[in-house]
Amino acid sequence: MTASAEDSEEVPRKRLKFRCYKPHDEHLQGKQLAQVEATSIDNTVTDILNQASSQSADIDLNTLAPRKANWDLKRDVEKKTSEAGKKNKTSDG
């Protein structure tokens, strides 16, 4: 490749953005982004909490009780045991 071919294929340079850092150099101070003020979310949080508290009265506490540790094992094995029970009754007969 020649020197002119390399010049024509310039890689675009990334622009510097200083969000939190205040540069000391005067050239770089123009690239500092403006400070952004945080918005207040107090009203939003209050609305969400009020909605949640009104819905909490509708929840039945019995449905929130934790299940036993082996509830899924009993559910899965129940089909097999019922079939085995039927076969045992017919073989005894």
Side-chain angles (χ1 to χ4, degrees):
M1 289 171 106
T2 62
S4 62
E6 290 176 4
D7 292 337
S8 63
E9 297 179 13
E10 284 189 29
V11 177
R13 300 183 113 183
K14 294 183 179 181
R15 304 189 92 197
L16 293 175
K17 296 179 186 177
F18 297 111
R19 291 183 177 91
C20 298
Y21 174 71
K22 183 177 180 182
H24 298 287
D25 189 9
E26 292 178 9
H27 281 78
L28 298 176
Q29 285 181 355
K31 298 182 185 218
Q32 184 178 4
L33 298 176
Q35 291 290 331
V36 179
E37 292 293 323
T39 58
S40 176
I41 60 168
D42 292 335
N43 294 337
T44 307
V45 171
T46 306
D47 292 340
I48 292 172
L49 289 175
N50 288 338
Q51 288 177 355
S53 66
S54 66
Q55 291 177 354
S56 66
D58 300 337
I59 297 175
D60 183 22
L61 295 179
N62 293 330
T63 59
L64 293 178
R67 294 183 176 175
K68 292 183 180 178
N70 59 355
W71 71 271
D72 57 338
L73 295 174
K74 290 181 180 178
R75 180 197 63 204
D76 294 337
V77 175
E78 187 175 341
K79 293 178 189 174
K80 294 178 183 177
T81 55
S82 64
E83 290 176 12
K86 291 177 187 175
K87 289 181 183 179
N88 285 343
K89 287 180 184 177
T90 57
S91 66
D92 288 340

